[in-house]
Amino acid sequence: MKRVITAERVSRDVSDNFVFQRSILAYHEAAERVSGRVLEIGTGSGYGIEIIAPHTTHFTTIDKHRAEGLTLPANGEFLTAKVPPLPFADGTFDCVITFQVVEHIRRDGEFIREIARVLKPGGCLLITTPNRTMSLTRNPWHVREYDKQEFSALLSPHFTKVEAMGIEGGERVMAYYAKNREGVERITRFDPLRLQYRLPRWLLQIPYDLLNRLNRRRLLKENDDLTRSIRMEDYRLVPAHEGCFDWFFIAEKAE
């Protein structure tokens, strides 16, 4: 049976452009900061590999599923793994990147502890996750989302330095976000009892996925020029504030 591809896996589809361009920015920012042996947790469809791998001596990327058509560079390898734990020895990597993953991990404290374990002394973690205060509705694929203080508290026990950054959007991004909000409000008006926040996650995942995909395609149909016009340059990495779409934290392990 063919595995269902959830809308949680960001693609190059035009209807995903709002999210895809933001994701690409995170990889380009990471590429400026990584070197040596690098681990990526959460390969997804693999669009970040070509951005990160050239800046490494060896690149390892892991996910619980291998995307169809995934290609790797000469210095790269892919492993199938469910995390935590991580299938690596202590102090294996100079850098770890994990983008839009931790919100899916039930044992998030163990996940971060494992990342710190496989980093070399002085190694760095680059990690992104959605800013809960900018979410328009509950995402049942996420175990939880974080505000800035919660995310800092998750990382701080395991790293000597944590730099709190975030990704904010410019004028075109915010115009699309406003249109998206209107679409979400049209859908959620049929949930006056706010059952989305009371029912079990597993029961809501498929309906959410279908409605999310339909809403993105409707936004594309009604706002084609705006959707297509968004570029990576319409996003910026800035000191973390409540208007950021994603947190982008940089954490350093003790020497």
Side-chain angles (χ1 to χ4, degrees), residues 1-246:
M1 183 174 69
K2 188 175 180 180
R3 183 166 51 85
V4 174
I5 303 300
T6 170
E8 281 294 283
R9 293 223 165 193
V10 178
S11 73
R12 297 178 187 267
D13 188 274
V14 177
S15 63
D16 284 348
N17 193 47
F18 168 74
V19 179
F20 179 73
Q21 297 298 333
R22 189 163 86 234
S23 301
I24 286 293
L25 174 65
Y27 277 106
H28 280 282
E29 292 290 345
E32 296 181 4
R33 294 167 169 83
V34 301
S35 61
R37 295 183 63 88
V38 176
L39 169 66
E40 177 188 28
I41 306 170
T43 314
S45 59
Y47 57 81
I49 294 173
E50 64 189 34
I51 301 171
I52 298 295
H55 299 268
T56 73
T57 56
H58 189 272
F59 180 68
T60 302
T61 182
I62 67 174
D63 205 311
K64 61 182 179 181
H65 302 296
R66 179 167 182 148
E68 293 182 9
L70 184 71
T71 58
L72 295 166
N75 69 332
E77 64 173 334
F78 173 87
L79 296 177
T80 302
K82 292 184 179 181
V83 301
L86 293 171
F88 307 104
D90 296 0
T92 300
F93 298 100
D94 297 287
C95 302
V96 174
I97 63 174
T98 181
F99 293 160
Q100 309 300 99
V101 172
V102 66
E103 63 273 11
H104 297 272
I105 304 296
R106 185 172 300 279
R107 305 192 306 275
D108 57 345
E110 180 184 351
F111 179 62
I112 300 301
R113 184 168 62 250
E114 277 288 279
I115 291 173
R117 179 184 64 79
V118 302
L119 277 169
K120 297 177 182 178
C124 72
L125 164 65
L126 305 172
I127 182 170
T128 70
T129 194
N131 171 12
R132 189 179 68 210
T133 61
M134 290 293 282
S135 294
L136 297 176
T137 186
R138 180 191 182 191
N139 184 333
W141 293 97
H142 296 172
V143 176
R144 79 198 63 73
E145 294 180 354
Y146 309 86
D147 62 26
K148 185 173 72 170
Q149 291 72 28
E150 290 165 342
F151 203 43
S152 294
L154 177 67
L155 300 178
S156 295
H158 308 286
F159 296 91
T160 55
K161 180 181 178 183
V162 177
E163 183 179 6
M165 304 291 286
I167 297 175
E168 69 175 12
E171 183 177 346
R172 281 184 291 199
V173 170
M174 298 312 295
Y176 183 94
Y177 180 70
K179 296 290 186 182
N180 191 24
R181 180 189 292 276
E182 292 172 5
V184 170
E185 288 174 349
R186 277 196 292 268
I187 294 170
T188 56
R189 75 178 188 271
F190 296 107
D191 183 25
L193 299 178
R194 294 173 63 82
L195 294 177
Q196 62 168 308
Y197 296 102
R198 298 161 63 182
L199 294 173
R201 289 190 309 113
W202 66 267
L203 191 61
L204 297 169
Q205 286 172 344
I206 299 304
Y208 171 88
D209 209 55
L210 292 172
L211 290 170
N212 188 21
R213 183 59 67 195
L214 287 171
N215 187 49
R216 288 184 189 180
R217 289 175 178 169
R218 182 193 59 77
L219 281 166
L220 174 62
K221 183 178 180 180
E222 296 179 1
N223 306 274
D224 186 88
D225 289 345
L226 175 60
T227 305
R228 293 177 185 273
S229 71
I230 295 173
R231 294 290 180 266
M232 182 183 76
E233 292 75 16
D234 291 308
Y235 292 98
R236 298 176 293 274
L237 184 66
V238 297
H241 64 84
E242 294 307 310
C244 292
F245 287 99
D246 297 324

